[in-house]
Structures are given as structure tokens and as C-alpha cells.
Amino acid sequence: MKVLVTGFEPFNKESVNPSFEAVKCLPDRIGRIEVVKAEIPVSFVTSSFVLEKAIESCSPDIVICAGQAGGYAGIAVERVAINLQDAVIPDNYGIQPDNQPVFSDGPNAYFSSLPVKEIVKTLRNEVIPAFVSNSAGTYVCNSLMYSLLHLIHLKYHDMQGGFIHVPYSVEQAAGKTPIPPSMSLQQITRALELAIRTF
Ligand code: PCA
């Protein structure tokens, strides 16, 4: 079994993105599951192409995309992606959609095909703060999650996929005033590993 795990490049003046920092720390094998990693640009235009290329090149059974949710106090296992791009700040390439669909011919929403409640339960059993989130927002993370689920719907019926938002790392939070909630990279990495172990 193979899992593709992705994290994003830094955005919004941060020098790191805890999602990709944690992905990089994952081992290359977790039990019987091979782990393939990829970094995704914070781009409304290219993020889905980079993800699709990674899927084409490694043919994973499962795709877990991760992103930073600054201000969250726990791991948010996303349940739903909506067909909307509505950005408060431009992406890293200057694109700022206003009330646009991700795909004009797509349905309003897709549900994650990851076992979201089971992942949350597993994390909580290991004393990692986690919750099921019913909105991945309207920025690039939601757009990537929607694109992934659209791709699964159109082309990769046997693949399972979804999205996990992670808090700021402790190092990021330490430089801000007031100090927002955060989680250690070690704990974020452990959360992703446990999510993979639910398969
Ligand atoms: N978080 C942003 C995009 C990239 C990331 O890590 C989001 O929540 O949309």
C-alpha cells in the first residue's frame, strides 16, 4: 500500500510551513505502507497540477494533503471541500480569486474519503488535540482538497483522499504577539503518522 502525503510551501510572510516541515520528518515506510512526499505551491492555479503530477508518478492508494491553519489549537481533519475560491490575501503568485468556483462544472462540495472520525479518535487516544472540521476555508487548501476529490471522482475511483490542517509550529508562534496556539513539529508529525496508521 502506498500513501502520498503533501505539505505546502510557506505563505503569508512565514519562512516555514509546518505542514511540509512535518511531512519531511515522516519515515519513508510506516508499517506496511510506503510513504511518498511532495511539496505543493501555495497557488490557486498550479497546486492541483503539481498534485496531479505527483499522483501520476507514484500511483498512490491514499492521498493525504496537509496545510497550515494559523490560530488553530489542534489538528483539523477536514470533512468537506467546497467549490469556491474566495481569498482574503493573494496566493504566493499574486492571484486573489473573488467568489470563483474551483471547477465551473463541478458539484458544490465533496466529502473527504478518509476515515475522518476514526483519525480524530486515534489522535485523541494518543492525547493529541484533534477535531473534525466542517470547513477547510475558501483559500488554497480548500481548493487543493476540492481538486483532489474532483480528480478521484473523475479518474481515480479506487484512491482515497482528504485534507488535514495543522496549527502553527511552536517556533512560528514564539515570534508573534499575541502568541497564538501552536503544536510542536514532533507532535504534528506524529499526528500525520497516526492518520496514516489508520489504514
Ligand atoms: N494553508 C493555506 C494555504 C496553504 C496552507 O498551508 C490554507 O489554509 O488555505
Side-chain angles (χ1 to χ4, degrees), residues 7-11 17-19 40-42 44 66-70 136-143 163 165:
F8 276 103
E9 66 182 6
F11 71 109
N17 189 314
S19 63
I40 306 291
V42 179
F44 279 104
Q68 165 191 306
T138 57
Y139 196 53
V140 179
C141 289
N142 171 75
S143 195
F163 198 95
H165 262 123

Side-chain angles (χ1 to χ4, degrees), residues 105-174:
D105 58 349
N108 286 339
Y110 283 111
F111 287 116
S112 171
S113 52
L114 302 179
V116 288
K117 295 188 83 168
E118 197 187 328
I119 293 171
V120 167
K121 204 184 287 175
T122 304
L123 298 188
R124 288 183 165 217
N125 282 342
E126 297 285 324
V127 205
I128 297 177
F131 61 102
V132 174
S133 162
N134 294 310
S135 172
T138 57
Y139 196 53
V140 179
C141 289
N142 171 75
S143 195
L144 184 73
M145 181 179 174
Y146 186 93
S147 302
L148 166 65
L149 296 171
H150 193 54
L151 195 62
I152 290 174
H153 175 76
L154 294 179
K155 210 166 148 186
Y156 295 96
H157 300 143
D158 295 333
M159 207 164 79
Q160 280 176 271
F163 198 95
I164 296 179
H165 262 123
V166 307
Y168 283 134
S169 65
V170 174
E171 292 77 8
Q172 286 176 289

Side-chain angles (χ1 to χ4, degrees), residues 6-185:
T6 75
F8 276 103
E9 66 182 6
F11 71 109
N12 198 19
K13 301 183 198 110
E14 298 291 334
S15 58
V16 292
N17 189 314
S19 63
F20 191 58
E21 294 305 306
V23 166
K24 282 191 285 186
C25 292
L26 286 169
D28 294 325
R29 179 165 284 279
I30 297 172
R32 64 189 203 299
I33 304 176
E34 185 190 340
V35 179
V36 180
K37 307 162 191 180
E39 186 179 20
I40 306 291
V42 179
S43 163
F44 279 104
V45 178
T46 63
S47 54
S48 61
F49 295 120
V50 173
L51 179 66
E52 190 170 357
K53 281 269 161 284
I55 290 170
E56 275 170 9
S57 74
C58 75
S59 304
D61 303 287
I62 307 149
V63 181
I64 300 178
C65 298
Q68 165 191 306
Y72 278 17
I75 300 290
V77 184
E78 300 295 346
R79 177 151 37 198
V80 61
I82 60 175
N83 192 10
L84 183 69
Q85 298 180 329
D86 196 38
V88 176
I89 53 167
D91 69 13
N92 284 358
Y93 305 86
I95 302 297
Q96 188 171 4
D98 180 12
N99 219 27
Q100 301 290 313
V102 183
F103 286 96
S104 52
D105 58 349
N108 286 339
Y110 283 111
F111 287 116
S112 171
S113 52
L114 302 179
V116 288
K117 295 188 83 168
E118 197 187 328
I119 293 171
V120 167
K121 204 184 287 175
T122 304
L123 298 188
R124 288 183 165 217
N125 282 342
E126 297 285 324
V127 205
I128 297 177
F131 61 102
V132 174
S133 162
N134 294 310
S135 172
T138 57
Y139 196 53
V140 179
C141 289
N142 171 75
S143 195
L144 184 73
M145 181 179 174
Y146 186 93
S147 302
L148 166 65
L149 296 171
H150 193 54
L151 195 62
I152 290 174
H153 175 76
L154 294 179
K155 210 166 148 186
Y156 295 96
H157 300 143
D158 295 333
M159 207 164 79
Q160 280 176 271
F163 198 95
I164 296 179
H165 262 123
V166 307
Y168 283 134
S169 65
V170 174
E171 292 77 8
Q172 286 176 289
K176 302 187 194 305
T177 308
I179 296 173
S182 64
M183 211 180 246
S184 72
L185 268 182

